[in-house]
């Protein structure tokens, strides 16, 4: 068992090293030529098992993209010459943007949690002094630009959620519609169309981008064409705020402000609990789709007996759990939801970055048996099928991009932590 884990860890390290451009690690070999924000956080955790200095360099590279107002963008394009749509030309250069080309929106803020893990493994107060103030500015940006005291953090583009075409966003996307702008999708050069968002989805993604670009990417939450309170991103931030408080503490500061922000984010999450469904929701509605986002508040610590009900949903065969015909879990959309689509991106397949987050949440909440069960299944999935972007829950077949960095990073962490 130990030997096979070490073999898998070595194969994972090879993927990260092969995707390393020297400046940043690409999410995958061909399809994603920039530095993506939450990919990079997970990659940092993976690199911390290979080379601490290289892991620190990954964080520094991402921070070169920080905007004047504190936002850390969802993509930093270290080169303008990239085969990706939408690339630097489409995003444009807004007021307050850094010198390096970036997108104009953000992504789930996992970075403080990654820096904490890196520091736990390889302490360096000098590095913390360098990066923690930047993390603080980003988190304050979320508070001032994307939330009020009681509500979930709002995302202004589905790409900000990291779960781009999740059915959670269908209704809000339908209200926007496509503008008719012509563009060529480059993702379909790499991946079969049935595994990616649809053309109508892309038309709306581009419309939202264009509208945001006209306002230098800084509309108010109320004026944005697309605005959804995101329970998953809020949970990631609540956890990251607690980790940021810990980092401040390491530096001899109190971290009280980050801790207070974490508390109010947790309160906002608790207010979205849906009693009948036993899940968290984006808007508390009866007809919201059941997606894995609804279980993920577990990573931020949830109140009362709710974690027990989330764990039940996670392993329930009719919802996110394994069945004899679909043994790989959790599915990104519940199997009993009519929108479940086993092979289409964030509408059904298994994503092991999500598994890694859930394993962490299960361990923290004391569900050791369930954590080990999910960890074993996750490592089996990858060792039998390779390091794919996402997987078919029925067959385990790898989908999307092969030799995918975050899959390698989380596997490396599970094997070596
Ligand atoms: C996917 O998103 C990008 C757009 O940002 C794409 O489809 O082109 C998502 O899975 C996102 O969560 C991820 O960070 C990105 C790179 O892996 O790919």
């Amino acid at each position: 068992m130990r030997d096979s884990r070490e073999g898998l860890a070595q194969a994972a390290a090879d993927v990260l090293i092969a995707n390393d451009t020297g400046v940043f690690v690409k999410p995958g070999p061909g399809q994603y030529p920039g530095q993506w924000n939450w990919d990079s956080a997970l990659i940092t955790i993976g690199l911390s098992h290979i080379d601490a200095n290289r892991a620190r360099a990954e964080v520094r590279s991402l921070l070169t993209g920080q905007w004047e107002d504190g936002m850390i963008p969802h993509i930093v394009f270290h080169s303008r010459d990239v085969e990706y749509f939408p690339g630097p030309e489409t995003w444009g250069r807004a007021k307050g943007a850094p010198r390096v080309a970036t997108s104009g929106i953000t992504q789930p803020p996992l970075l403080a949690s990654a820096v904490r893990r890196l520091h736990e493994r390889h302490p360096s107060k000098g590095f913390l002094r360098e990066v923690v103030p930047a993390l603080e500015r980003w988190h304050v940006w979320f508070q001032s630009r994307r939330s009020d005291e009681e509500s979930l953090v709002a995302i202004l583009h589905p790409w900000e959620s990291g779960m781009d075409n999740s059915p959670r966003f269908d209704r809000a996307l339908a209200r926007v519609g496509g503008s008719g702008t012509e563009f060529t999708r480059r993702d379909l050069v790499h991946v079969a169309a049935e595994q990616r968002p649809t053309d109508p989805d892309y038309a709306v993604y581009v419309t939202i981008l264009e509208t945001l670009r006209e306002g230098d990417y800084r509309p108010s939450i109320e004026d944005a064409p697309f605005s959804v309170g995101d329970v998953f991103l809020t949970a990631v931030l609540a956890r990251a705020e607690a980790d940021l408080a810990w980092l401040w503490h390491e530096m001899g500061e109190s971290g009280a402000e980050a801790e207070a922000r974490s508390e109010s984010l947790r309160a906002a999450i608790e207010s979205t609990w849906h009693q009948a469904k036993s899940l968290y929701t984006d808007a508390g509605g009866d007809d919201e789709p059941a997606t894995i986002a609804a279980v993920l508040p577990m990573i931020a610590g949830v109140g009362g007996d709710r974690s027990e009900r989330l764990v039940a949903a996670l392993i329930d065969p009719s919802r996110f759990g394994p069945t004899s015909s679909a043994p790989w879990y959790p599915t990104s959309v519940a199997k009993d939801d009519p929108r479940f689509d086993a092979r289409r991106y964030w509408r059904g397949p298994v994503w092991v970055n999500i598994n890694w987050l859930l394993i962490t949440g299960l361990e923290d909440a004391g569900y050791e048996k369930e954590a080990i069960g999910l960890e074993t299944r996750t490592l089996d999935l990858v060792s039998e099928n390779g390091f794919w972007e996402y997987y078919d829950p029925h067959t385990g077949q790898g989908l999307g991009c092969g030799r995918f960095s975050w899959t390698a990073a989380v596997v490396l962490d599970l094997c070596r932590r």
Side-chain angles (χ1 to χ4, degrees):
M1 179 70 175
R2 182 172 299 159
D3 284 353
S4 66
R5 279 208 173 187
E6 194 35 43
L8 188 60
Q10 194 47 56
D14 292 345
V15 169
L16 290 180
I17 291 165
N19 288 338
D20 189 355
T21 65
V23 177
F24 68 99
V25 176
K26 291 180 289 186
Q31 193 180 343
Y32 300 110
Q35 186 175 22
W36 262 258
N37 190 323
W38 71 317
D39 298 63
S40 194
L42 292 168
I43 288 164
T44 297
I45 295 170
L47 290 172
S48 74
H49 294 281
I50 304 176
D51 175 348
N53 282 329
R54 179 65 193 80
R56 292 187 192 110
E58 189 69 16
V59 178
R60 289 190 186 103
S61 281
L62 187 64
L63 292 179
T64 61
Q66 188 163 34
W67 285 38
E68 256 171 33
D69 63 4
M71 182 190 78
I72 303 180
H74 105 291
I75 312 172
V76 181
F77 295 104
H78 292 280
S79 159
R80 296 190 67 82
D81 184 19
V82 284
E83 295 268 316
Y84 179 78
F85 177 82
E89 299 308 317
T90 308
W91 287 104
R93 190 164 187 287
K95 276 204 283 295
R99 184 176 304 215
V100 63
T102 75
S103 69
I105 58 174
T106 194
Q107 249 192 342
L110 267 178
L111 193 60
S113 301
V115 169
R116 173 175 177 170
R117 281 168 187 264
L118 170 58
H119 184 77
E120 283 172 338
R121 206 156 287 133
H122 304 283
S124 163
K125 291 208 175 135
F127 181 65
L128 294 192
R129 276 193 290 276
E130 216 184 299
V131 302
V132 165
L135 295 170
E136 175 79 20
R137 288 178 55 224
W138 187 26
H139 289 192
V140 169
W141 176 86
F142 273 112
Q143 184 189 37
S144 62
R145 301 290 313 182
R146 295 302 183 81
S147 53
D148 63 41
E149 286 287 293
E150 271 112 53
S151 59
L152 296 177
V153 175
I155 56 166
L156 304 189
H157 195 295
W159 288 332
E160 293 199 312
S161 72
M163 301 182 177
D164 308 2
N165 70 340
S166 170
R168 298 195 278 151
F169 310 129
D170 288 359
R171 190 174 304 162
L173 287 175
R175 281 197 293 266
V176 180
S179 65
T181 303
E182 301 229 336
F183 57 89
T184 305
R185 290 180 61 173
R186 295 206 193 256
D187 55 324
L188 301 182
V189 172
H190 300 276
V191 179
E194 52 129 15
Q195 298 171 26
R196 291 285 304 174
T198 61
D199 283 344
D201 281 343
Y202 253 80
V204 190
Y205 298 159
V206 172
T207 306
I208 300 170
L209 188 164
E210 289 170 338
T211 314
L212 292 175
R213 187 180 59 208
E214 277 162 26
D216 273 336
Y217 299 99
R218 292 297 174 266
S220 64
I221 296 175
E222 297 73 34
D223 293 340
F226 172 97
S227 170
V228 170
D230 182 346
V231 77
F232 168 58
L233 189 144
T234 307
V236 170
L237 183 58
R239 169 78 186 228
E241 290 283 26
D243 289 331
L244 182 62
W246 184 92
L247 291 168
W248 278 121
H249 207 68
E250 275 294 285
M251 292 164 66
E253 309 276 340
S254 84
E257 286 171 20
E259 195 51 66
R261 292 194 299 266
S262 181
E263 278 306 313
S264 68
L265 291 165
R266 271 198 282 263
I269 293 168
E270 290 302 341
S271 71
T272 74
W273 179 254
H274 193 288
Q275 193 63 24
K277 292 185 179 180
S278 288
L279 292 174
Y280 290 95
T281 57
D282 287 331
D286 285 337
D287 52 357
E288 280 188 55
T291 76
I292 198 65
V295 179
L296 278 154
M298 202 184 285
I299 62 173
V302 297
D305 66 355
R306 291 177 179 180
S307 50
E308 210 168 310
R309 300 173 71 182
L310 291 182
V311 175
L314 183 63
I315 58 180
D316 179 344
S318 67
R319 300 180 103 185
F320 303 99
T323 64
S324 53
S325 66
W328 307 105
Y329 78 106
T331 52
S332 42
V333 172
K335 287 191 280 297
D336 60 0
D337 189 290
R339 289 150 283 211
F340 171 75
D341 183 344
R343 294 167 70 83
R344 195 181 288 282
Y345 216 37
W346 289 95
R347 298 178 82 90
V350 176
W351 291 76
V352 301
N353 60 326
I354 297 300
N355 292 25
W356 181 87
L357 288 169
L358 287 166
I359 292 165
T360 312
L362 287 167
E363 285 170 347
D364 290 353
Y367 291 91
E368 207 171 310
K369 184 166 73 67
E370 290 77 4
I372 291 173
L374 183 54
E375 177 180 296
T376 307
R377 193 59 67 89
T378 303
L379 294 178
D380 286 350
L381 176 63
V382 179
S383 70
E384 286 175 27
N385 299 284
F387 296 91
W388 287 85
E389 188 179 3
Y390 44 104
Y391 298 86
D392 184 325
H394 295 106
T395 61
Q397 187 197 344
L399 304 171
C401 178
R403 295 184 68 72
F404 201 67
S405 293
W406 78 26
T407 303
V410 302
V411 164
L412 191 51
D413 189 57
L414 293 176
C415 292
R416 292 220 178 128
R417 68 200 169 128

Short mmCIF file of all heavy atoms in Angstrom, two decimals, residues 119-141:
data_model
loop_
_atom_site.label_atom_id
_atom_site.label_comp_id
_atom_site.label_asym_id
_atom_site.label_seq_id
_atom_site.Cartn_x
_atom_site.Cartn_y
_atom_site.Cartn_z
N HIS A 119 3.29 26.99 5.00
CA HIS A 119 4.02 27.46 6.18
C HIS A 119 4.10 26.38 7.26
O HIS A 119 5.12 26.24 7.94
CB HIS A 119 3.35 28.72 6.73
CG HIS A 119 4.09 29.32 7.89
ND1 HIS A 119 5.24 30.06 7.74
CD2 HIS A 119 3.87 29.26 9.23
CE1 HIS A 119 5.69 30.45 8.92
NE2 HIS A 119 4.87 29.97 9.85
N GLU A 120 3.02 25.61 7.40
CA GLU A 120 3.05 24.52 8.40
C GLU A 120 4.15 23.51 8.06
O GLU A 120 4.79 22.95 8.93
CB GLU A 120 1.69 23.81 8.47
CG GLU A 120 0.67 24.62 9.24
CD GLU A 120 -0.74 24.04 9.17
OE1 GLU A 120 -1.04 23.26 8.24
OE2 GLU A 120 -1.55 24.38 10.04
N ARG A 121 4.32 23.28 6.75
CA ARG A 121 5.32 22.30 6.33
C ARG A 121 6.73 22.90 6.30
O ARG A 121 7.69 22.24 6.65
CB ARG A 121 4.93 21.79 4.92
CG ARG A 121 5.42 20.42 4.60
CD ARG A 121 4.55 19.77 3.52
NE ARG A 121 3.27 19.36 4.04
CZ ARG A 121 2.11 19.61 3.45
NH1 ARG A 121 2.07 20.26 2.30
NH2 ARG A 121 1.00 19.19 3.99
N HIS A 122 6.82 24.15 5.86
CA HIS A 122 8.14 24.81 5.73
C HIS A 122 8.03 26.24 6.27
O HIS A 122 7.84 27.18 5.48
CB HIS A 122 8.56 24.88 4.25
CG HIS A 122 8.58 23.56 3.57
ND1 HIS A 122 9.59 22.63 3.74
CD2 HIS A 122 7.70 22.99 2.71
CE1 HIS A 122 9.33 21.56 3.02
NE2 HIS A 122 8.19 21.75 2.39
N PRO A 123 8.10 26.42 7.57
CA PRO A 123 7.86 27.76 8.13
C PRO A 123 8.86 28.80 7.60
O PRO A 123 10.05 28.49 7.47
CB PRO A 123 8.07 27.56 9.64
CG PRO A 123 8.07 26.08 9.86
CD PRO A 123 8.43 25.42 8.57
N SER A 124 8.33 29.97 7.27
CA SER A 124 9.20 31.09 6.89
C SER A 124 8.44 32.37 7.20
O SER A 124 7.54 32.77 6.46
CB SER A 124 9.55 31.04 5.40
OG SER A 124 10.06 32.29 5.00
N LYS A 125 8.83 33.02 8.31
CA LYS A 125 8.13 34.27 8.66
C LYS A 125 8.41 35.36 7.64
O LYS A 125 7.57 36.21 7.38
CB LYS A 125 8.54 34.70 10.07
CG LYS A 125 7.98 33.73 11.10
CD LYS A 125 7.74 34.37 12.44
CE LYS A 125 7.06 33.31 13.31
NZ LYS A 125 7.56 33.18 14.63
N GLY A 126 9.61 35.31 7.04
CA GLY A 126 9.94 36.30 6.02
C GLY A 126 8.95 36.22 4.86
O GLY A 126 8.46 37.23 4.37
N PHE A 127 8.64 34.99 4.44
CA PHE A 127 7.69 34.82 3.35
C PHE A 127 6.30 35.31 3.77
O PHE A 127 5.61 35.99 2.99
CB PHE A 127 7.64 33.35 2.93
CG PHE A 127 6.69 33.08 1.80
CD1 PHE A 127 6.92 33.62 0.55
CD2 PHE A 127 5.57 32.28 2.00
CE1 PHE A 127 6.03 33.37 -0.51
CE2 PHE A 127 4.68 32.03 0.95
CZ PHE A 127 4.92 32.58 -0.30
N LEU A 128 5.91 35.02 5.00
CA LEU A 128 4.60 35.50 5.46
C LEU A 128 4.54 37.02 5.42
O LEU A 128 3.53 37.60 5.00
CB LEU A 128 4.29 35.00 6.88
CG LEU A 128 4.11 33.49 7.07
CD1 LEU A 128 3.53 33.20 8.45
CD2 LEU A 128 3.21 32.89 5.99
N ARG A 129 5.62 37.67 5.86
CA ARG A 129 5.62 39.15 5.85
C ARG A 129 5.44 39.68 4.43
O ARG A 129 4.81 40.71 4.20
CB ARG A 129 6.92 39.69 6.46
CG ARG A 129 6.84 39.76 8.00
CD ARG A 129 7.98 40.59 8.58
NE ARG A 129 9.26 39.90 8.44
CZ ARG A 129 9.70 38.98 9.30
NH1 ARG A 129 8.98 38.65 10.36
NH2 ARG A 129 10.86 38.39 9.10
N GLU A 130 5.95 38.91 3.48
CA GLU A 130 5.84 39.32 2.07
C GLU A 130 4.41 39.17 1.54
O GLU A 130 3.92 40.04 0.84
CB GLU A 130 6.74 38.35 1.30
CG GLU A 130 7.48 38.88 0.14
CD GLU A 130 8.22 37.71 -0.53
OE1 GLU A 130 9.08 37.06 0.11
OE2 GLU A 130 7.90 37.44 -1.68
N VAL A 131 3.75 38.06 1.88
CA VAL A 131 2.48 37.76 1.18
C VAL A 131 1.22 37.98 1.99
O VAL A 131 0.14 38.21 1.41
CB VAL A 131 2.48 36.32 0.60
CG1 VAL A 131 3.65 36.11 -0.34
CG2 VAL A 131 2.47 35.25 1.68
N VAL A 132 1.30 37.92 3.31
CA VAL A 132 0.06 38.00 4.10
C VAL A 132 -0.67 39.35 3.93
O VAL A 132 -1.90 39.37 3.78
CB VAL A 132 0.34 37.65 5.59
CG1 VAL A 132 -0.81 38.06 6.49
CG2 VAL A 132 0.60 36.14 5.71
N PRO A 133 0.05 40.49 3.88
CA PRO A 133 -0.69 41.75 3.65
C PRO A 133 -1.46 41.73 2.32
O PRO A 133 -2.56 42.29 2.23
CB PRO A 133 0.42 42.80 3.66
CG PRO A 133 1.51 42.19 4.51
CD PRO A 133 1.48 40.72 4.18
N ALA A 134 -0.91 41.08 1.30
CA ALA A 134 -1.62 41.01 0.01
C ALA A 134 -2.88 40.15 0.14
O ALA A 134 -3.93 40.48 -0.43
CB ALA A 134 -0.69 40.42 -1.06
N LEU A 135 -2.78 39.07 0.90
CA LEU A 135 -3.97 38.22 1.11
C LEU A 135 -5.03 39.00 1.88
O LEU A 135 -6.23 38.93 1.56
CB LEU A 135 -3.56 36.96 1.90
CG LEU A 135 -2.61 36.02 1.17
CD1 LEU A 135 -2.09 34.93 2.12
CD2 LEU A 135 -3.29 35.38 -0.03
N GLU A 136 -4.59 39.76 2.87
CA GLU A 136 -5.53 40.58 3.66
C GLU A 136 -6.27 41.56 2.74
O GLU A 136 -7.49 41.70 2.82
CB GLU A 136 -4.73 41.33 4.74
CG GLU A 136 -5.54 42.33 5.57
CD GLU A 136 -6.39 41.69 6.67
OE1 GLU A 136 -6.11 40.54 7.07
OE2 GLU A 136 -7.35 42.36 7.12
N ARG A 137 -5.53 42.20 1.83
CA ARG A 137 -6.17 43.18 0.93
C ARG A 137 -7.21 42.49 0.04
O ARG A 137 -8.26 43.06 -0.26
CB ARG A 137 -5.11 43.86 0.05
CG ARG A 137 -4.24 44.83 0.84
CD ARG A 137 -3.18 45.46 -0.05
NE ARG A 137 -3.75 46.11 -1.21
CZ ARG A 137 -3.28 46.01 -2.45
NH1 ARG A 137 -2.23 45.25 -2.72
NH2 ARG A 137 -3.86 46.65 -3.45
N TRP A 138 -6.92 41.28 -0.39
CA TRP A 138 -7.88 40.56 -1.25
C TRP A 138 -9.14 40.23 -0.46
O TRP A 138 -10.27 40.43 -0.92
CB TRP A 138 -7.21 39.29 -1.80
CG TRP A 138 -8.01 38.54 -2.82
CD1 TRP A 138 -8.96 39.04 -3.66
CD2 TRP A 138 -7.89 37.15 -3.13
NE1 TRP A 138 -9.44 38.03 -4.48
CE2 TRP A 138 -8.80 36.87 -4.16
CE3 TRP A 138 -7.09 36.12 -2.63
CZ2 TRP A 138 -8.95 35.58 -4.71
CZ3 TRP A 138 -7.23 34.85 -3.17
CH2 TRP A 138 -8.15 34.58 -4.20
N HIS A 139 -8.94 39.73 0.75
CA HIS A 139 -10.11 39.35 1.55
C HIS A 139 -10.96 40.58 1.90
O HIS A 139 -12.20 40.51 1.89
CB HIS A 139 -9.66 38.64 2.83
CG HIS A 139 -9.10 37.26 2.58
ND1 HIS A 139 -8.86 36.37 3.58
CD2 HIS A 139 -8.75 36.62 1.44
CE1 HIS A 139 -8.37 35.23 3.07
NE2 HIS A 139 -8.29 35.37 1.77
N VAL A 140 -10.31 41.70 2.18
CA VAL A 140 -11.07 42.93 2.48
C VAL A 140 -11.83 43.38 1.22
O VAL A 140 -12.95 43.88 1.30
CB VAL A 140 -10.11 44.04 3.01
CG1 VAL A 140 -10.81 45.39 3.05
CG2 VAL A 140 -9.58 43.65 4.38
N TRP A 141 -11.22 43.15 0.05
CA TRP A 141 -11.89 43.48 -1.21
C TRP A 141 -13.20 42.68 -1.34
O TRP A 141 -14.24 43.23 -1.71
CB TRP A 141 -10.95 43.16 -2.39
CG TRP A 141 -11.58 43.36 -3.75
CD1 TRP A 141 -11.66 44.53 -4.45
CD2 TRP A 141 -12.24 42.35 -4.53
NE1 TRP A 141 -12.32 44.30 -5.64
CE2 TRP A 141 -12.69 42.98 -5.72
CE3 TRP A 141 -12.49 40.99 -4.36
CZ2 TRP A 141 -13.37 42.30 -6.72
CZ3 TRP A 141 -13.17 40.32 -5.37
CH2 TRP A 141 -13.60 40.97 -6.53
#
